[in-house]
Amino acid sequence: MEGKITLLVILLLPAAAAIVGYMIGRKNEKNRDTLNIIITGVELLLVTSLYKEAMAGPIKLFIPDIMGTGMYLKLDAFRYIFVWISTFIWFLTTMYSTQYLIRYKNRNRYYAFFMLTLASTVGIFLSENILNLFTFFEIMSFTSYALVIHDEDKYALDAGKIYIGMAIGGGMVLLMGLFLLYEYTGVFNISELGVQIRQIGNIKYLISTLIIIGFGVKASIVPLHVWVPKVYPAAPTPASAILSGVLLKTGLFGIFITTENLMQGDLFISMVILILGLMNMFLGGFLALFQRNIKRILAYSGMSQAGYILVGIGLAGVLKEHKAVAVYGTLYHIINHALFKVLLFMGTGIIYMILHELSINVIRGFGKHKNMLKAVFLIGILAIMGMPGFNGFISKTLLHEAILEAYYMYHSIWWKVAEIVFTISSAVTGAYMLKIFVTVFMEKSEKYKGQYRDHIRKRALFPMIILSIAIVYIGINPDASLGIVAKGAEAFGIKGHIKVDFYTLPNIKASLFTIMIGICIYIGFVRMYLRKHDGNESFYINPSLNWFSLEKNVYAPALIITFRSSSAIFHVIDRGVVNFVHYINDRVKSISGMQIKRRRYRKIDAEELDFGKKSANYTEELSKEFHSLAELMDKMYRNMNSLKYAIFIVAAILAVILVELIF
């Protein structure tokens, strides 16, 4: 019973803190900051206290008459990984925010939505009812939107538009998938869906596709990733850190339960996820090579790292009863990515706090003499590159082993292709991270020598040091986290632990070989092709700015065509309705006049005369009503714009499609 109460507390505590903190912050910001740090620390301690109980068996709590179907919360070992890493990252990021936001406006609003986002994120990972999960998922989209647009400048507002637009669009598609799911299965509980969906035939592929698209927007799956390079640079750095380190995982969590729980590791769906993951890995890394803003590099890097997790999810279905190594690698990379990516964003945030600039062409040489900042940033870089001794090496080794397992199982040349893509993508990761580190922390620049050291506060460095220690500890002692990963894998029918010897000579050689390829790409492509010289100055160019853009060349024209065509359709419909009302109005007037005229040719008594007057008055009032209605329609026609028409027509199309699919 105590565990169930704690489950409810960790869901409600951040939401309550958001309200209380906002009220306190209106009078004393220091007390509000202290409260938020304490609350996120308590949240982490409460989640940690549930470790033994969650490992022993799932903790369940059902509250009826909430969200229509009741609220069903569940915490097992699999979900515990997501909840713990989220609260851990949030605690450190909250501490970091108190230093980062000192010179920002609207701090009170930021912290309120920051805590609400934590509450909704925890709700996503705890939800056993998939409709509850959807509700928290949408709440998270709206609360995180407030973080994205925090600066309220043009760039932030434009980024906010694409973020909320993609989130709402993805949410609508996800909801349609859930409607179909319930129509055919009659259940919403995630643990029951796998059994029920086997009986509904091939419609399950449409349902799973809609759900994966809905979650895929947040997971930045190609081609739904267009919001990523705009949103991450626009948001304040602590918000960017949780967007990449935690909120990205909400979409991946949804895809994971869809492929494994809902579709029971279906081979077709798993192969699609695997291919999309390989595309994410390569395309995200390739685009990161060309960027000059550090946040944009990390944004595309997050998209690439999500590809590793998607590859693991896909391999789990492909390998069937041999999927243990794939599930281990996926869960391990979910943990590791959160640690090193948040560390890199925090290091980037310190640079921005001081210089208010993140273009490597401008800040080159800034960190050469900032030894502490250089050290923690280097740890993050070595981790994401997969260097032996750091946590990224552990999860990447597991995922690489899973690809080899698939090759031995199917003996297809395509698995060799997948391994090559995996290796090249990892090498490209090393190349674009070297681009950042060499330019910012190794090149000389006299204007930054010995300056700004007093701007780097311990309050901002402390969370980075904690993350660095965690990264190195996992890298040196991977078995320490392998136990919880193994317990989490039991949710997918994997019994027992697999023995993994990470630091074998072949694994170390494979990692170092990949890093050497990355160094060659950096020297031969980044420095030789992307780096230009103008007299004594050197700078990087970004040719990708002029390349084909999904947003500009596909999505924007498609939306414009949809809006204009729907506007034209509603123009015809609207004018038709207005003309029809005018016609009825004229007919009523004509009928009214004929009735009164006909009564003059015979003698009528007083009672009939009174009735005739009433009838004439009634028809006259009816005529006035229709005339008013016609004026109203005219006014509506003048005031309604094409955007509103488009919304109506899109909603109508979705409704028609839904009816067709159901019936």
Side-chain angles (χ1 to χ4, degrees), residues 357-383:
E357 178 61 63
L358 287 176
S359 171
I360 60 175
N361 286 335
V362 177
I363 66 173
R364 64 168 11 95
F366 167 78
K368 184 173 179 59
H369 303 286
K370 316 297 186 297
N371 294 330
M372 180 62 74
L373 179 62
K374 182 192 293 187
V376 293
F377 209 94
L378 179 61
I379 289 172
I381 287 176
L382 293 176

Side-chain angles (χ1 to χ4, degrees), residues 442-458:
M442 294 185 66
E443 292 188 3
K444 293 181 180 180
S445 178
E446 292 299 324
K447 65 179 179 180
Y448 296 128
K449 185 175 181 179
Q451 296 184 25
Y452 306 110
R453 288 185 179 181
D454 56 333
H455 289 73
I456 303 176
R457 307 291 184 185
K458 293 180 181 178

Side-chain angles (χ1 to χ4, degrees), residues 1 31 35 46 110 159 179 273 280 307 328-329 376 383 424 429 432 449-450 532 562 564 570 595 597 603 616 619 658:
M1 187 64 184
N31 290 343
L35 173 70
L46 288 173
Y110 170 88
F179 281 158
I273 295 297
N280 262 62
Y328 275 44
V376 293
I424 292 176
T429 301
Y432 64 69
K449 185 175 181 179
K532 303 296 182 183
T562 302
R564 288 179 177 174
F570 267 92
Q595 288 175 339
K597 187 175 182 180
K603 186 177 181 181
T619 53
L658 184 60

Side-chain angles (χ1 to χ4, degrees), residues 50 88 266 469 484 632:
L50 293 174
F88 176 66
D266 181 86
I469 292 171
I484 187 172
L632 177 62

Side-chain angles (χ1 to χ4, degrees), residues 332-393:
Y332 230 134
H333 204 67
I334 285 169
I335 297 170
N336 292 341
H337 173 257
L339 297 176
F340 59 63
K341 185 50 68 70
V342 172
L343 174 60
L344 290 170
F345 267 112
M346 285 183 175
T348 302
I350 286 181
I351 297 172
Y352 186 79
M353 274 193 286
I354 297 171
L355 301 180
H356 295 284
E357 178 61 63
L358 287 176
S359 171
I360 60 175
N361 286 335
V362 177
I363 66 173
R364 64 168 11 95
F366 167 78
K368 184 173 179 59
H369 303 286
K370 316 297 186 297
N371 294 330
M372 180 62 74
L373 179 62
K374 182 192 293 187
V376 293
F377 209 94
L378 179 61
I379 289 172
I381 287 176
L382 293 176
I384 196 173
M385 290 169 64
M387 175 69 75
F390 299 86
N391 66 348
F393 169 76

Side-chain angles (χ1 to χ4, degrees), residues 504-523:
T504 62
L505 185 59
N507 287 341
I508 294 174
K509 286 173 63 178
S511 175
L512 295 179
F513 176 71
T514 302
I515 292 172
M516 287 302 299
I517 295 175
I519 294 173
C520 292
I521 294 173
Y522 169 71
I523 295 173

